[in-house]
Amino acid sequence: MKNFQTIVLLYIIFYSFISNAFFEDKNIFTDGDSKNKSFFNYFSDEKIQEDVIWNEATKLFDEKKFKKAGIKFKTYYKNFPNNLNSYLAVLMHGHSLMEQEKFEEAFSAYQLCIDNYSNDIKDFDIIMELQYKAATSFMNKKRMTLISGGYKSPELAIPLFEKIINNNPEWSKSSELLFLIGETHKEMENYEEAILVYKKIIYQYSNSLFYEKAFWKHIECLNLLLKKYPNSSEMQDRLLNVSTIYLNNIKVSDNRAKIVKIRNNLYEVKAKKIFDQGEFYKNIMNNDKAAILSFKSMIDNYPKSELVSNALIQIEYLEKKKIKE
């Protein structure tokens, strides 16, 4: 009998200790009398505290006290993660952060909805739209406004855009987000990175409104790289190939005339390179056989070049010269 009484006494002491520890944060859980809580009213008191925090949070939000409201909403879902209002509390926390222009933190709150409350999300597109708004706001936000009016750092938003796409690659705005990533890289003169993004749109979103735009931007980036490396055969070949594919795939476009001009200019540049090689063999090296081969190669590879007639004249002249010798 004494052993039983000892066990009961120890149980009461243990439970009292746990209850006191659990309710010691007066700002969150206590109602001024937490030390008198017992095992039998514990669950009803928890419900009371849940309702109190929720009501306080919504009241603060309605009063536009967004910082305090955000703290309360976060307190709610941290302490009652499995309750019916927890999903809404996470959303409201995100909304509170948006109102404070804490766009990156708001994005993370919306991501928490996707990661932990996917079963409660009735319309996934709504969460994606919220993340899209948070990410674009973060991209356009000015920093250090006290210094020369501030500046923007759009590259900081790239990981957020990538996260949205990973959440749902089939989302209607995924190609638009990729295009924004590509444009950001292009503005930063990271042309190769931009090209990789534009190519992803071309290959994965061929039915998107951004398909033609990505193709054109791809060509623009290659053209800028060619200006940077004008003697690069690799850049010339890449630009010529992409321009040709564009003209074959896209029959109607405002950019088509510009691409035809780029392609024709590049076509002549590459043709002249081989023609000049023939001239070099003819005039400097006195190697007529190599010169003839170069001129013929130019005609075979660039039959529409303006230099074809000149190359034919050179071949005729060198062949007659060979016969005389």
Side-chain angles (χ1 to χ4, degrees):
M1 188 66 178
K2 287 184 178 180
N3 289 338
F4 176 77
Q5 291 175 342
T6 301
I7 292 171
V8 170
L9 181 60
L10 288 173
Y11 178 82
I12 292 171
I13 293 171
F14 174 77
Y15 179 75
S16 176
F17 172 81
I18 292 298
S19 296
N20 288 337
F22 187 80
F23 289 104
E24 65 181 345
D25 188 345
K26 295 181 180 180
N27 292 325
I28 299 175
F29 293 101
T30 64
D31 58 4
D33 193 25
S34 61
K35 293 183 179 180
N36 296 324
K37 295 187 183 296
S38 68
F39 178 80
F40 299 103
N41 66 12
Y42 167 70
F43 293 105
S44 61
D45 284 348
E46 180 181 303
K47 177 61 178 172
I48 291 171
Q49 294 299 331
E50 175 190 342
D51 291 342
V52 167
I53 296 171
W54 178 260
N55 291 334
E56 287 178 350
T58 54
K59 184 174 182 292
L60 288 167
F61 190 89
D62 290 341
E63 293 172 352
K64 302 187 183 305
K65 297 177 180 178
F66 299 116
K67 183 175 181 180
K68 291 182 178 180
I71 293 171
K72 285 290 182 179
F73 283 124
K74 186 175 182 180
T75 297
Y76 185 94
Y77 68 75
K78 285 287 185 181
N79 289 282
F80 308 104
N82 300 317
N83 288 14
L84 293 175
N85 283 335
S86 295
Y87 162 65
L88 292 176
V90 178
L91 278 182
M92 293 304 295
H93 182 209
H95 299 341
S96 300
L97 291 166
M98 284 294 291
E99 293 290 346
Q100 298 173 70
E101 298 189 357
K102 295 182 177 181
F103 303 122
E104 188 177 19
E105 294 176 42
F107 182 95
S108 297
Y110 298 137
Q111 186 61 41
L112 185 63
C113 287
I114 294 172
D115 293 339
N116 294 300
Y117 296 96
S118 57
N119 292 332
D120 297 318
I121 299 175
K122 295 179 181 179
D123 190 341
F124 205 81
D125 281 358
I126 291 176
I127 307 298
M128 301 289 283
E129 287 286 354
L130 290 170
Q131 285 196 306
Y132 177 82
K133 183 179 180 181
T136 51
S137 298
F138 183 64
M139 178 180 70
N140 295 319
K141 182 179 180 180
K142 281 191 174 183
R143 293 164 175 81
M144 303 291 288
T145 52
L146 296 178
I147 302 175
S148 302
Y151 63 91
K152 294 181 181 180
S153 299
E155 70 278 4
L156 297 177
I158 290 177
L160 305 187
F161 290 140
E162 290 173 339
K163 187 70 175 177
I164 297 172
I165 295 167
N166 290 334
N167 284 336
N168 184 8
E170 302 303 318
W171 188 44
S172 59
K173 290 187 177 179
S174 290
S175 59
E176 181 180 347
L177 286 169
L178 277 172
F179 190 77
L180 284 173
I181 294 172
E183 287 291 86
T184 302
H185 280 304
K186 183 172 176 288
E187 286 179 18
M188 296 169 61
E189 299 185 7
N190 296 331
Y191 299 124
E192 291 291 4
E193 289 85 348
I195 286 170
L196 288 175
V197 177
Y198 294 136
K199 286 171 72 173
K200 192 170 184 178
I201 297 172
I202 293 167
Y203 295 134
Q204 295 186 9
Y205 300 94
S206 57
N207 296 322
S208 164
L209 294 173
F210 291 88
Y211 174 72
E212 187 276 334
K213 292 181 181 180
F215 237 132
W216 167 241
K217 292 294 183 176
H218 184 181
I219 291 169
E220 272 194 330
C221 286
L222 286 172
N223 208 24
L224 289 166
L225 283 169
L226 184 58
K227 288 178 180 178
K228 191 175 182 180
Y229 308 105
N231 297 319
S232 171
S233 295
E234 179 194 353
M235 289 301 167
Q236 292 173 355
D237 289 339
R238 287 171 66 187
L239 182 53
L240 186 61
N241 290 338
V242 174
S243 300
T244 302
I245 295 170
Y246 179 102
L247 294 172
N248 289 337
N249 291 3
I250 301 172
K251 303 302 181 183
V252 180
S253 165
D254 293 338
N255 294 315
R256 189 175 172 85
K258 289 181 279 187
I259 293 173
V260 168
K261 185 177 180 180
I262 290 172
R263 186 181 182 280
N264 289 346
N265 289 340
L266 188 58
Y267 190 86
E268 291 301 327
V269 167
K270 291 185 70 64
K272 189 175 185 304
K273 189 174 183 179
I274 301 177
F275 184 87
D276 288 345
Q277 180 180 287
E279 290 277 271
F280 173 78
Y281 283 127
K282 173 193 165 190
N283 299 322
I284 306 300
M285 301 300 294
N286 294 318
N287 187 337
D288 293 345
K289 183 177 180 180
I292 290 171
L293 289 173
S294 293
F295 291 132
K296 285 183 175 180
S297 175
M298 193 220 79
I299 294 169
D300 290 341
N301 287 285
Y302 304 99
K304 296 181 181 180
S305 171
E306 296 174 354
L307 294 169
V308 167
S309 58
N310 200 347
L312 288 169
I313 291 171
Q314 295 297 330
I315 291 169
E316 184 180 4
Y317 167 78
L318 291 171
E319 287 180 342
K320 285 182 178 178
K321 179 183 175 184
K322 185 178 179 183
I323 292 171
K324 288 181 181 181
E325 292 176 351

